[in-house]
Amino acid sequence: MSAPAAGAARPEDFRLGAVIITMGNRPAELAALIDSVTSQEGPAVELAVVGQGAPLPPLPEGVRSVELPENVGIPGGRNVGIELFGEDGRDVDAILFLDDDGLLPGKDSARLLREAFTADPGLGIVAFRIADPETGVTQRRHVPRLRASDPLRSSRVTTFLGGASAVRCRVFEQAGQLPAEFFYAHEETDLAWRALDAGWSIDYRADVVLHHPTTSPARHASYFHNIARNRVWLARRNLPAPFVPLYPGVWFLLTLARRPSPEALKAWWGGFRAGWREPCGERRPMRWRTVWRLTRLGRPPVV
């Protein structure tokens, strides 16, 4: 099935929104990010800010916002932000997801995204290049493909980084929103697989840059637990039956080969077991043609 043509015919008519989630602990960075979004060339990018269990600082006039009583996780918070633009974001044509400590250094990012989406009606998701603001270096893990040695090369990909991306709102209508139960880690891949299965394409665009300080994902206490649990959930939710044990099995071996610390391995093993024992949401296995499409794009669903 091919994705239908969608969105405005002219770039200047393509409406962009942006969702920022924050826990209220980076007010200066949040203000700088908002300024970088409102400073974009061309038609204004509509803004929505979601407070995750924290009060929001004063926001510019016209910014949509909500303060949640608790932290519902990254995908859950972004889903709330989507709905601030109407059901499945229908008030706009595509939504940017931005981390509250990120920054759009160029004023042409919105224009580049409008041009990309209108030039290719089948383009569903755009992944930005993430660069450290001090060094300009892009971490290998931030390039969403296996051949990640050249972050300046744009390409078709099979996943994306959630805090530096733009998603066409028709994708939410057809493939659903982000899996809130994941809370953190791999929720983007879940959406990406479902979008690809619905016929949409995903591009990594090296010319659309988000500045973000170099960090390690292991700084999150739940990191090792969640990456193990959510990889199992990815397989259970999305893969044809023969791949369900194969995909997490390969990652089990890769994890052992990387020799994590005893504490990290213990957390990872707990998450791996939880992935099989706990409910993961609706199962919608992708078609075999999507498995082949992932393989042709260089990322078969075994790694």
Side-chain angles (χ1 to χ4, degrees):
M1 179 178 66
S2 298
R10 301 189 308 164
E12 57 267 33
D13 296 330
F14 194 88
R15 302 163 299 167
L16 291 177
V19 169
I20 304 169
I21 58 174
T22 180
M23 295 181 67
N25 54 351
R26 291 190 280 243
E29 292 89 339
L30 174 62
L33 172 60
I34 290 174
D35 183 63
S36 76
V37 174
T38 57
S39 299
Q40 291 294 300
E41 301 169 354
V45 178
E46 299 288 331
L47 263 169
V49 180
V50 179
Q52 293 268 50
L56 293 173
L59 299 171
E61 185 178 355
V63 174
R64 311 179 193 207
S65 65
V66 63
E67 295 179 355
L68 302 178
E70 62 182 2
N71 180 2
V72 298
I74 292 174
R78 287 180 177 146
N79 288 344
V80 171
I82 293 169
E83 293 298 305
L84 289 177
F85 291 106
E87 184 178 1
D88 287 327
R90 64 188 175 192
D91 294 351
V92 293
D93 295 306
I95 291 177
L96 286 70
F97 294 117
L98 303 170
D99 281 347
D100 68 349
D101 56 346
L103 187 79
L104 294 173
K107 296 183 183 297
D108 61 348
S109 296
R111 176 178 60 80
L112 292 171
L113 291 169
R114 290 188 179 98
E115 290 173 354
F117 280 119
T118 53
D120 183 357
L123 178 62
I125 302 173
V126 175
F128 311 163
R129 179 167 64 89
I130 301 174
D132 183 89
E134 299 293 332
T135 65
V137 170
T138 297
Q139 292 180 273
R140 187 180 183 91
R141 68 184 182 87
H142 284 157
V143 182
R145 58 176 180 249
L146 291 179
R147 296 178 180 177
S149 59
D150 183 7
L152 298 181
R153 177 174 66 88
S154 300
S155 68
R156 282 277 155 96
V157 292
T158 63
T159 189
F160 64 102
L161 277 298
S165 63
V167 181
R168 193 188 294 265
C169 293
R170 289 290 302 277
V171 171
F172 304 130
E173 294 178 22
Q174 295 184 4
Q177 298 182 9
L178 294 154
E181 54 266 53
F182 280 39
F183 197 84
Y184 165 80
H186 304 316
E187 67 272 5
E188 306 97 337
T189 300
D190 187 88
L191 176 57
W193 284 359
R194 287 184 280 114
L196 289 165
D197 197 50
W200 297 100
S201 296
I202 306 171
D203 278 357
Y204 167 70
R205 288 286 299 260
D207 56 342
V208 182
V209 179
L210 180 87
H211 276 175
H212 189 280
T214 298
T215 57
S216 168
R219 71 190 188 278
H220 299 290
S222 59
Y223 172 74
F224 294 102
H225 180 277
N226 281 20
I227 61 169
R229 181 196 65 187
N230 293 358
R231 282 203 190 278
V232 176
W233 282 359
L234 275 174
R236 290 175 57 197
R237 286 166 59 94
N238 296 290
L239 295 181
F243 283 87
V244 172
L246 186 59
Y247 177 77
V250 168
W251 278 102
F252 178 84
L253 296 175
L254 287 173
T255 300
L256 293 179
R258 291 170 177 173
R259 298 182 179 181
S261 68
E263 294 80 8
L265 184 59
K266 181 180 179 181
W268 190 96
W269 176 242
F272 187 79
R273 290 186 298 171
W276 295 108
R277 295 175 176 177
E278 297 177 3
C280 61
E282 181 185 4
R283 173 166 166 77
R284 289 190 288 175
M286 66 178 64
R287 296 164 298 166
W288 284 102
R289 65 186 295 180
T290 305
V291 173
W292 176 236
R293 187 181 182 193
L294 288 164
T295 302
R296 286 190 293 110
L297 288 169
R299 196 88 189 228
V302 294
V303 66

